[in-house]
Amino acid sequence: MKLALLRNGVRQSKGKSTAFVGTVILSVLFGGLGLLGMVGLRGHEYGPDAGIVLVAFVAVGWAFLPLFIGGDETLDPGRLAMLPLRPAPLMTAQLVSGLVGSGPLFTLLLVLGAMVATAHGTAALLAAVVAVPLVMLVCVTLTRALATANARLLNSRRGRDLAVLSGLLVAFGLQGLNLAISRMTDEDGSLAPLGTMADVLRWLPPATAVRAVQLADEGSHAWAVLALAATVAALGLLLWWWRTTLTRLLTAPDASTLQADAPTDRAGTGRAGGLAGWLPTGRTGTVMLRVLRYAWRDPKAKMSWATSLGMGLLLPVVLSVQGGSSVYVACWAPGLLGLLMYNQFGGDYSGFWLVAQTIRSSHEAFVELRARTLAICLLGLPFTVLVVIGTAALLGDWEGGPTALGLCLALLGSMLAVGAVASAWLPYSIPQEGAMKNVAPGQAGLAWGGVLGGMLAGAVIAAPVGLLAHWWHGEALGWLLVPIGFGYGLAVCWFALWLAARRVADRLPEILAAVSRS
């Protein structure tokens, strides 16, 4: 079936066949480069440690990347549930199919490289002959078991949210990998940090297979057998878990068919007295609660929040850890949080007409925009403070913390102000269908122009506070910049809300038409 799917996919269009051939070529190219790199480490002091770390990274990649990237139509066991197969034959078929493709070819080249860098004697070569297929089986079984355990999640609303967030998670993973790789060498080019990482990873399957080859090479045959046995035991546990979840998946009824008959435990557990009770009363609290619910339930709103919070935290941390940066890299956090204010009404989709019906004056428009701003500040303000403190701690630059915090608060207010104005003057539609489509056809220039121009405008508006931060950096006067930055950002944001509210109240039909194009 896997070969038939590959063959049919290649025959379906020239684009798919070109993509398939390109994928195979890239796998051979980069896998070959990895193999040659590990061959170059053969005989090196840290060659075996590099093999252990490489196999551990490969296993982590097999655990998550196939779930997020996809491409293997046999990965979801739900699609194969109608086949007249019991769990055991189905597992065997899926296991074999998982070993077919460019991904396994790439993995095989890397694993061979790890073994080449580790094995020297006859005993080590014999251990490597056993270790290579063991590592491949553990990787494929790990992916299949995780896919089976998450089969229903992948077909649910949460699963679609997971798919939307997958790009972000992959980006975080790549940044983490970037940090790990940058830490693998000392300033003098030594691979000593690899030894520290390998000391931990060598106890975790399937890296234990490489450790077995290393032990066999050192003459510790009994320990080598135990290391291989640990890898086999891990494979057995994964197979048992996979079989259990697969059997439950094939025999248990779909939860969606039981939902109507299931007892409802939610009665009497209303959330009115929960966190919503802390919000202000009236229109302000209602709008804030709606914005926060959109941020949790709407996939695209969730992705925007997750991107702003995640990247706003990740970028300062990465830049601080890599060194050579200042505490002002924390400005990434308010800068990205301010982007949440852009195109506020586009996020309402065509349902904006309900909001429009409740706005009869510029004051009601002001309250509407103010509540949306407060919802962002509810999480954005403490988050910004935490990012500034964390960045100052990573860099050890506590003297620059106050000025950085003042500048970040001013920048947050400036970005929110520009976002409010852009929402009133440059609204655009967000398609509800398509996870990666955030702009309706024909409005991409409007969206990009508004965001890029707004970022530049926000930086210019916050520039006076930036100058004060430059002059007072490290000085006792720097503490004054915290209230100054907060007051400056508040004043700018308040004025922008007042300005945007007048525009919104006068142009409601045009805004509704702009955000309802798709």
Side-chain angles (χ1 to χ4, degrees):
M1 180 180 289
K2 180 66 174 289
L3 293 175
L5 289 171
L6 290 175
R7 184 174 60 251
N8 292 335
V10 171
R11 289 178 177 175
Q12 193 171 3
S13 67
K14 291 184 178 178
K16 288 189 174 181
S17 60
T18 303
F20 176 76
V21 173
T23 304
V24 173
I25 292 175
L26 288 177
S27 299
V28 173
L29 177 62
F30 287 100
L33 289 176
L35 174 60
L36 290 176
M38 295 304 297
V39 170
L41 290 176
R42 182 177 173 82
H44 192 278
E45 179 185 1
Y46 294 104
D49 293 335
I52 290 173
V53 174
L54 177 63
V55 168
F57 280 6
V58 166
V60 173
W62 272 88
F64 297 105
L65 290 182
L67 292 176
F68 293 143
I69 296 177
D72 189 349
E73 296 179 85
T74 65
L75 187 63
D76 183 5
R79 296 187 177 185
L80 311 175
M82 297 303 292
L83 294 176
L85 293 174
R86 290 183 174 276
L90 186 57
M91 288 173 58
T92 305
Q94 278 200 293
L95 196 60
V96 175
S97 67
L99 294 170
V100 178
S102 55
L105 176 61
F106 175 73
T107 303
L108 180 62
L109 292 173
L110 293 184
V111 174
L112 285 175
M115 299 302 170
V116 169
T118 307
H120 297 87
T122 303
L125 287 176
L126 291 175
V129 170
V130 180
V132 171
L134 265 179
V135 172
M136 296 297 296
L137 287 175
V138 169
C139 290
V140 176
T141 306
L142 181 61
T143 297
R144 300 285 165 169
L146 286 173
T148 303
N150 293 286
R152 288 175 179 168
L153 179 65
L154 294 174
N155 294 320
S156 64
R157 195 194 74 176
R158 290 185 178 181
R160 291 191 292 272
D161 294 350
L162 181 65
V164 171
L165 296 173
S166 61
L168 185 62
L169 295 176
V170 170
F172 288 166
L174 291 177
Q175 285 296 334
L177 184 62
N178 177 35
L179 279 178
I181 292 175
S182 66
R183 292 289 176 179
M184 283 182 182
T185 57
D186 286 338
E187 295 180 355
D188 58 355
S190 171
L191 296 177
L194 273 178
T196 305
M197 297 178 64
D199 288 340
V200 178
L201 296 175
R202 67 185 44 166
W203 298 98
L204 303 175
T208 48
V210 186
R211 176 61 176 165
V213 177
Q214 184 183 13
L215 289 170
D217 194 51
E218 295 172 354
S220 304
H221 302 301
W223 287 106
V225 171
L226 287 177
L228 285 175
T231 312
V232 174
L235 177 61
L237 284 175
L238 283 174
L239 287 171
W240 172 81
W241 180 44
W242 183 15
R243 182 186 176 91
T244 303
T245 53
L246 184 61
T247 303
R248 187 183 306 117
L249 178 70
L250 297 179
T251 57
D254 191 347
S256 61
T257 62
L258 303 175
Q259 190 172 5
D261 300 330
T264 56
D265 296 328
R266 296 180 180 178
T269 60
R271 297 170 61 88
L275 296 177
W278 293 84
L279 297 177
T281 57
R283 182 177 188 132
T284 301
T286 303
V287 175
M288 290 179 66
L289 183 60
R290 186 183 69 213
V291 172
L292 295 175
R293 280 178 172 168
Y294 272 24
W296 181 252
R297 295 178 179 177
D298 182 65
K300 292 187 177 179
K302 184 184 294 185
M303 182 178 180
S304 298
W305 277 86
T307 302
S308 296
L309 294 173
M311 297 303 292
L313 175 65
L314 185 67
L315 287 176
V317 169
V318 170
L319 294 174
S320 301
V321 172
Q322 289 181 338
S325 57
S326 71
V327 70
Y328 297 103
V329 296
C331 290
W332 278 103
L336 292 170
L337 282 171
L339 295 179
L340 293 173
M341 193 62 196
Y342 285 74
N343 197 31
Q344 275 294 308
F345 305 122
D348 294 342
Y349 308 114
S350 58
F352 176 70
W353 71 273
L354 286 171
V355 179
Q357 283 188 330
T358 64
I359 298 177
R360 292 166 296 182
S361 64
S362 58
H363 174 71
E364 290 178 339
F366 177 82
V367 176
E368 174 76 22
L369 286 170
R370 184 188 62 185
R372 294 172 185 250
T373 308
L374 288 175
I376 297 174
C377 292
L378 186 65
L379 296 177
L381 277 176
F383 178 77
T384 300
V385 174
L386 288 176
V387 170
V388 172
I389 294 175
T391 305
L394 284 174
L395 295 173
D397 187 8
W398 292 106
E399 295 181 350
T403 52
L405 180 58
L407 178 58
C408 285
L409 293 176
L411 183 60
L412 179 61
S414 302
M415 291 298 294
L416 293 174
V418 178
V421 173
S423 297
W425 262 267
L426 302 172
Y428 58 88
S429 178
I430 300 176
Q432 290 183 269
E433 300 298 331
M436 304 309 293
K437 295 181 180 179
N438 293 315
V439 182
Q443 293 183 319
L446 184 68
W448 279 107
V451 172
L452 295 178
M455 292 178 68
L456 180 60
V460 171
I461 293 173
V465 181
L467 290 176
L468 289 177
H470 175 70
W471 291 332
W472 292 350
H473 181 85
E475 304 289 338
L477 290 174
W479 284 101
L480 290 178
L481 205 61
V482 177
I484 291 176
F486 180 79
Y488 184 84
L490 179 63
V492 169
C493 190
W494 204 268
F495 175 74
L497 291 176
W498 173 80
L499 192 66
R502 295 171 65 86
R503 171 79 175 185
V504 170
D506 295 338
R507 301 291 301 275
L508 280 174
E510 289 82 353
I511 295 175
L512 178 60
V515 302
S516 306
R517 290 186 57 178
S518 61

